[in-house]
Amino acid sequence: QVQLVESGGGLVQAGGSLRLSCAASGRTSFSSYVMGWFRQAPGKEREFVAAINWSGTRTGYADSVKGRFTISRDNAKNTVYLQMNSLKPEDTAVYYCAANIGGSYYYTRVDEFRYWGQGTQVTVSS
């Protein structure tokens, strides 16, 4: 069982930056898990943002955030990060951290992740 807690959300102006963190805890080896970030805007389905494999050697991004967001992990701290630069109003959403046991590649679908955090709100004003 893995518990995930996100932090770092908030209100930022367009063009600004935020860094989200997701701390994992529980009876698990964090380095055994693929980690991902998803987001959900009001009235929309939850969508993939970024993911990273267990070692941090492979990452994947949604086209809408490629070149602006960076996912990384620190296995010693049981934490995954999402650095978000050049934020746009359309990035406004609740951002969720997700995890599942994985190997050398990463997942991109909601149904591929077993564990989810409670989410953190990101609001980008124009």
Side-chain angles (χ1 to χ4, degrees), residues 92-103:
T92 295
V94 176
Y95 282 71
Y96 296 92
C97 176
N100 204 2
I101 293 285

Side-chain angles (χ1 to χ4, degrees), residues 20-39:
L20 305 183
S21 299
C22 172
S25 62
R27 298 174 62 183
T28 183
S29 173
F30 181 72
S31 61
S32 300
Y33 285 77
V34 170
M35 302 299 295
W37 287 97
F38 288 75
R39 66 188 181 186

Side-chain angles (χ1 to χ4, degrees), residues 19 37 52 59 61 70-74 79-83:
R19 188 175 84 153
W37 287 97
I52 189 167
T59 58
Y61 299 91
T70 303
I71 188 171
S72 61
R73 67 189 296 160
D74 185 338
T79 302
V80 64
Y81 305 96
L82 185 68
Q83 177 67 43

